[in-house]
Amino acid sequence: MIEILDNRTKSRSRLQGVNPDDGAQTVHRLRALAVELNLLGAEFAQLHGLHTTDLRALICILDADRAGLAATPGWLGGQLGINSASVTALLDRMEKSGLIRRDRDADDRRRSLLAVTPRAVDLGQTFFGPLIDRTASILRDFDAAERATISRFLDGANRAVAVERRAGAQRTDGDGSRSRTRRAGDPA
């Protein structure tokens, strides 16, 4: 599978004037970073008796707040790719743990708005704060133009992953391609 991805990366890179080995190495570095971040997130979740989905939900709600978006249960379900019954169970569990609160929308009383509690912010800051500080420290070694390039690259990589996720969701096993929703260990 990795060899197939490497070959796809190399053929696409040749078309775009990027050294295929550089492109593949960048993808490998991003993948290694993603694995490390996932392991760190799983450690945080385990330490605080959370499911990894709880952590993903907290991140989604925090990101929505930073972006000025209304985080609703329906929106969260879409972000996490889970159904409404699962969202309700997730929110009940997180609210009971004191990590989130559900507030009625002042404009539409039928709608709940989700917010992360100060307790959750404190837990996250205590655990992830040192990583945030170390990362910010690394960025200080780059000038403004380099930081802008890094941001542009990361934004582009994030968009590329989002496009692949959407494309994967549209694929079906019936059209000859393998579904990306197949779980590890399931027959191919």
Side-chain angles (χ1 to χ4, degrees), residues 127-148:
F127 188 87
F128 293 105
L131 173 62
I132 293 167
D133 292 343
R134 282 188 193 96
T135 303
S137 164
I138 293 166
L139 280 173
R140 285 194 277 283
D141 292 339
F142 296 90
D143 64 35
E146 290 171 320
R147 287 192 305 269

Side-chain angles (χ1 to χ4, degrees), residues 48-67:
H48 296 289
L50 305 173
H51 296 265
T52 54
T53 304
D54 299 356
L55 177 58
R56 289 177 43 222
L58 288 171
I59 292 168
C60 287
I61 297 167
L62 285 167
D63 287 349
D65 184 58
R66 277 191 280 275

